[in-house]
Amino acid sequence: MDVFTEEIRNEELWELLYADDLVITDENEEDLRRRAGEWQESLERGGLKVNVNKTEVLLSNREDRDRIVIHERRGSVIKHAENFKYLGSTLRQEGGCEAEVDSRIKAACG
């Protein structure tokens, strides 16, 4: 994925690549839509396919709870998640890490 996406990666924003997993972040909805489309287009040019059924959008914002709607390039809506597990850690809509810390303590004690 590094090779296929080198021209679109943004050093100023947080992007996390691991094997075939990707996390894209942005500070506003319109830029996130644009960047998601750019990533999908770049990956497809490299022969990779984005599995929309495994793709989720998570808004991490403690103040604004409105859901955002992101479409993939062919028009399918990417599902919204309140939390999801990425590389063994749970990312939550509310931000923070309290639930993750509690989960790890329970796992260690159990």
Side-chain angles (χ1 to χ4, degrees):
M1 278 194 349
D2 283 344
V3 173
F4 302 136
T5 60
E6 188 171 28
E7 76 279 359
I8 65 165
R9 279 185 266 138
N10 186 332
E11 300 296 326
E12 297 173 18
L13 296 168
W14 187 60
E15 298 161 344
L16 180 60
L17 297 163
Y18 180 79
D20 64 348
D21 289 333
L22 166 66
V23 173
I24 303 171
T25 64
D26 213 303
E27 293 182 6
N28 70 64
E29 187 174 342
E30 193 54 44
D31 287 344
L32 181 60
R33 280 192 184 102
R34 179 186 49 75
R35 291 183 66 225
E38 289 172 353
W39 273 91
Q40 185 176 5
E41 182 179 344
S42 182
L43 292 168
E44 288 175 352
R45 275 194 312 267
L48 301 174
K49 183 178 178 184
V50 174
N51 185 335
V52 178
N53 295 323
K54 292 183 177 180
T55 303
E56 297 178 329
V57 172
L58 181 134
L59 173 65
S60 181
N61 183 333
R62 293 178 184 260
E63 298 169 6
D64 184 7
R65 294 290 182 240
D66 291 339
R67 291 181 178 216
I68 62 174
V69 177
I70 304 288
H71 294 84
E72 58 93 32
R73 289 174 14 100
R74 288 173 192 77
S76 297
V77 174
I78 298 173
K79 66 184 166 193
H80 179 86
E82 293 183 12
N83 60 64
F84 63 90
K85 196 163 225 130
Y86 185 78
L87 301 178
S89 294
T90 301
L91 304 173
R92 295 173 23 124
Q93 176 174 291
E94 296 83 18
C97 62
E98 295 85 3
E100 181 66 24
V101 170
D102 288 345
S103 171
R104 289 178 185 240
I105 289 170
K106 288 177 185 173
C109 294

